[in-house]
Amino acid sequence: SNGIIVFGTSNSKWSGPIPDPATPNNGIYAFSTDLDPLSGAQGKIYTHYVDDRYFVIEWHQVEHYPSGNPETFEIVLDLDTGKVTIQYLTVSNVADAVSGVENSTGTEATQYAYADPALIAAAPLRRRS
């Protein structure tokens, strides 16, 4: 729910710059912060395969905890090439939000943005690879 996908077992609540050896690790951080879809009452998270090539995870109008500031963004995994695309449509509040990727031990990462409205921005749709 918190704007991150992790591979393996890990805690998904996260806020802070990466890399960091504290969990979660081994993840793709699209808009990693304390989000709360509240069983669909404050937004929804969708997954979808496209043409057996792309796997899409979309956070649609998911609000920050405890409520408010809905965000819409997605991670697109290209299963043929391994390319990762992060796209933002609606960005309301980037406070503490992290965008990037991190290795399994939390010792190396590529952080694209941390609490930076100029880099995590909405309209027009932006792609990150």
Side-chain angles (χ1 to χ4, degrees), residues 88-100:
Y88 302 94
L89 183 60
T90 304
V91 174
S92 302
N93 180 2
V94 300
D96 298 323
V98 179
S99 177

Side-chain angles (χ1 to χ4, degrees), residues 49-126:
Y49 280 100
V50 178
D51 299 328
D52 292 326
R53 178 174 176 183
Y54 301 99
F55 183 66
V56 180
I57 306 101
E58 179 181 333
W59 288 256
H60 181 77
Q61 296 293 302
V62 175
E63 296 183 17
H64 289 251
Y65 179 83
S67 66
N69 297 309
E71 312 291 359
T72 299
F73 57 93
E74 63 187 15
I75 296 172
V76 180
L77 304 175
D78 185 324
L79 304 176
D80 285 349
T81 66
K83 181 178 178 182
V84 175
T85 302
I86 301 172
Q87 304 180 129
Y88 302 94
L89 183 60
T90 304
V91 174
S92 302
N93 180 2
V94 300
D96 298 323
V98 179
S99 177
V101 295
E102 185 180 49
N103 72 354
S104 63
T105 59
T107 56
E108 294 183 28
T110 299
Q111 178 176 281
Y112 183 76
Y114 173 61
D116 189 335
L119 294 177
I120 302 175
L125 190 65
R126 302 172 74 85

